[in-house]
Amino acid sequence: SSPSPPPPSKPVPDKTCLRHLDQTFTTSVSVVMCMKNELIYLLLRTLTTLVKRTPPYLLREILLIDDGSDTDSSSEITDFSLKMGIPIKIQRNNVSVGITNCRNSAIRQAEGEVVVILDTHMEVSDIWLEPLLDILQEKPSAVAVPTLDLINEKDYDAKHLRVVNAYGIEMMSGYSFFRYYKTGPPQHDQSEPYQTASILGGALAANKATFLEFYPQGVLG
């Protein structure tokens, strides 16, 4: 059966991130999401947390690319968009072109100064966006990645893995290699961002100009 709707608020696990509430961000954000045969209640749950836990003045739009799903969910998504008062642009591909092409197309269409790429089976916590914008404000050419926790598929409760558990986005599906990282980088303040040689592609943020300048042929999926 479908889970109950997510609560309107979900506190971040590490309160040190509350310092980001003292900063003012004026940038506009486009959230890009690509899907194929996603369960509609998981998608709407993801969209609900995005709308309820993101400052309205920052969220310019949500771009949703349906890459040839067997079932057309456009009507449900449109109803949600009207109900929540948030613009959701839907592009439905008759033939699947792959997640990479979907994302690249959406990035080029995005109207926001910052583009956030998210999978369609996630939940965001309170203050999930501000720390990412803080990184991009300090280093405009950076690609910022949040903490990813695991969500229990039975009760949809998040299991906070101490990877870099300061603020984050919670995934409704997990990757096994997370279980091998318990404390994050040695001697690293887990409330602060750090540089890494690799990132997951399911949740990341960058200035649109960075995508276009450094990845002129498009980003990888």
Side-chain angles (χ1 to χ4, degrees), residues 35-214:
M35 70 171 190
K36 182 176 182 180
N37 294 331
E38 184 68 89
L39 294 173
I40 186 61
Y41 67 82
L42 290 185
L43 173 61
L44 294 180
R45 188 179 177 92
T46 298
L47 292 173
T48 298
T49 64
L50 266 176
V51 173
K52 291 185 176 294
R53 301 172 186 172
T54 305
Y57 66 91
L58 292 176
L59 186 57
R60 174 67 175 268
E61 62 184 351
I62 298 174
L63 292 94
L64 185 61
I65 313 297
D66 185 337
D67 192 28
S69 295
D70 297 332
T71 302
D72 187 355
S73 304
S74 299
S75 60
E76 291 94 331
I77 298 167
T78 299
D79 289 344
F80 175 89
S81 176
L82 293 173
K83 177 182 177 181
M84 293 295 184
I86 184 72
I88 300 179
K89 298 179 181 178
I90 309 169
Q91 175 182 312
R92 178 170 167 79
N93 299 332
N94 294 326
V95 178
S96 177
V97 298
I99 190 171
T100 301
N101 291 323
C102 285
R103 287 178 173 175
N104 292 334
S105 173
I107 290 171
R108 287 189 286 268
Q109 296 177 47
E111 297 180 1
E113 300 165 273
V114 170
V115 176
V116 177
I117 295 176
L118 293 180
D119 282 347
T120 52
H121 38 265
M122 292 184 164
E123 293 185 17
V124 298
S125 301
D126 297 343
I127 327 172
W128 71 276
L129 182 58
E130 290 89 331
L132 301 178
L133 297 180
D134 184 48
I135 294 172
L136 299 180
Q137 186 169 274
E138 182 176 339
K139 189 174 182 180
S141 62
V143 176
V145 180
T147 299
L148 297 179
D149 295 333
L150 297 183
I151 289 182
N152 188 306
E153 70 274 12
K154 295 182 179 179
D155 59 11
Y156 291 84
D157 185 36
K159 179 181 181 182
H160 299 299
L161 303 181
R162 298 299 296 185
V163 183
V164 186
N165 203 5
Y167 41 80
I169 292 174
E170 298 154 357
M171 296 188 65
M172 294 183 186
S173 61
Y175 295 88
S176 60
F177 62 76
F178 272 135
R179 301 187 182 99
Y180 298 106
Y181 294 87
K182 299 298 183 182
T183 58
Q187 300 179 344
H188 176 73
D189 181 353
Q190 293 188 357
S191 68
E192 293 293 335
Y194 66 95
Q195 294 185 348
T196 180
S198 62
I199 59 175
L200 291 177
L204 57 91
N207 286 303
K208 179 179 178 178
T210 299
F211 281 122
L212 299 180
E213 178 180 358
F214 292 98

Side-chain angles (χ1 to χ4, degrees), residues 12-33:
V12 293
D14 191 328
K15 301 304 180 184
T16 58
C17 287
L18 295 176
R19 67 184 182 277
H20 292 283
L21 289 179
D22 297 330
Q23 302 188 47
T24 301
F25 302 98
T26 58
T27 189
S28 59
V29 177
S30 295
V31 176
V32 169
M33 309 175 77

